[in-house]
């Protein structure tokens, strides 16, 4: 203190952990359905590392059909809300995402849905959700063989 330096040296260190999302199941495969029939499933989203509340948003894929029309056959709902909340034990609460698909034209799709948080962070660039579906069984089987 004052002009006498302390003989003690203090070293501080820290680890920065970025928030992330885990998914259960890690990928989705929706079953083929006839035209204009809806297929649906639930996905559990497990947030980790969020220190404050945030909100999940989903970018739905646009699909280009063989006739060059573009459609958005997917819809997403969060039945219990889409807010990431820190629980009393310091962990983030799991979210349920209800995903549905319907199309009036034949379509198959193998791709991704991107989930973002309230600050616009794209959280799925390395963890991807894959949808494989088709409205005709024979095309669906051809796609399975390619995987």
């Amino acid at each position: 203190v004052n002009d006498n330096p302390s003989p003690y040296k203090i070293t501080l260190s820290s680890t920065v952990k970025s928030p992330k999302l885990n998914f259960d199941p890690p990928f989705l495969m929706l079953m083929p359905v006839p035209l204009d029939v809806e297929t649906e499933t639930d996905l559990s989203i497990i947030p980790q590392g969020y220190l404050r509340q945030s909100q999940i948003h989903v970018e739905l894929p646009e699909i280009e059909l063989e006739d060059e029309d573009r459609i958005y056959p997917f819809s997403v709902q969060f039945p219990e809300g889409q807010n990431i909340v820190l629980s009393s034990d310091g962990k983030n609460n799991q979210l349920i995402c209800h995903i549905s698909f319907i199309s009036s034209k034949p379509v198959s799709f193998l791709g991704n849905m991107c989930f973002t948080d309230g600050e616009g962070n794209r959280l799925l660039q390395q963890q991807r959700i894959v949808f494989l579906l088709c409205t005709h069984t024979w095309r669906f089987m051809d796609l399975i063989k390619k995987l």
Side-chain angles (χ1 to χ4, degrees):
V1 183
N2 296 335
D3 290 332
N4 298 326
S6 172
Y8 301 103
K9 185 177 183 178
I10 298 175
T11 303
L12 300 176
S13 65
S14 64
T15 302
V16 177
K17 292 185 178 184
S18 298
K20 68 177 185 173
L21 298 176
N22 291 317
F23 299 90
D24 185 26
F27 72 94
L28 296 176
M29 189 163 82
L30 299 175
M31 291 296 112
V33 292
L35 297 176
D36 290 320
V37 173
E38 186 174 62
T39 183
E40 55 192 4
T41 191
D42 285 339
L43 172 69
S44 295
I45 302 173
I46 303 115
Q48 293 180 326
Y50 283 86
L51 301 177
R52 61 180 180 264
Q53 183 171 320
S54 189
Q55 192 173 68
I56 297 293
H57 302 279
V58 183
E59 295 174 20
L60 297 175
E62 178 184 60
I63 299 174
E64 184 174 347
L65 303 174
E66 290 178 6
D67 64 4
E68 297 184 9
D69 280 349
R70 295 181 179 274
I71 61 171
Y72 290 89
F74 295 99
S75 62
V76 172
Q77 295 178 341
F78 292 87
E80 300 167 8
Q82 51 197 105
N83 290 330
I84 297 173
V85 179
L86 194 63
S87 67
S88 60
D89 64 357
K91 295 184 179 182
N92 299 121
N93 290 336
Q94 169 179 295
L95 301 170
I96 301 298
C97 179
H98 183 79
I99 299 169
S100 59
F101 167 88
I102 189 168
S103 177
S104 60
K105 295 183 178 182
V107 61
S108 60
F109 176 70
L110 176 62
N112 306 296
M113 277 189 182
C114 183
F115 290 77
T116 59
D117 65 15
E119 296 171 11
N121 296 316
R122 296 175 66 92
L123 301 170
L124 266 189
Q125 291 179 342
Q126 294 174 2
Q127 296 176 359
R128 299 193 182 263
I129 299 209
V130 178
F131 295 88
L132 177 59
L133 47 96
C134 186
T135 54
H136 295 293
T137 304
W138 63 270
R139 291 184 69 197
F140 180 75
M141 295 310 292
D142 286 343
L143 288 171
I144 291 287
K145 290 175 188 173
K146 289 179 184 177
L147 291 177

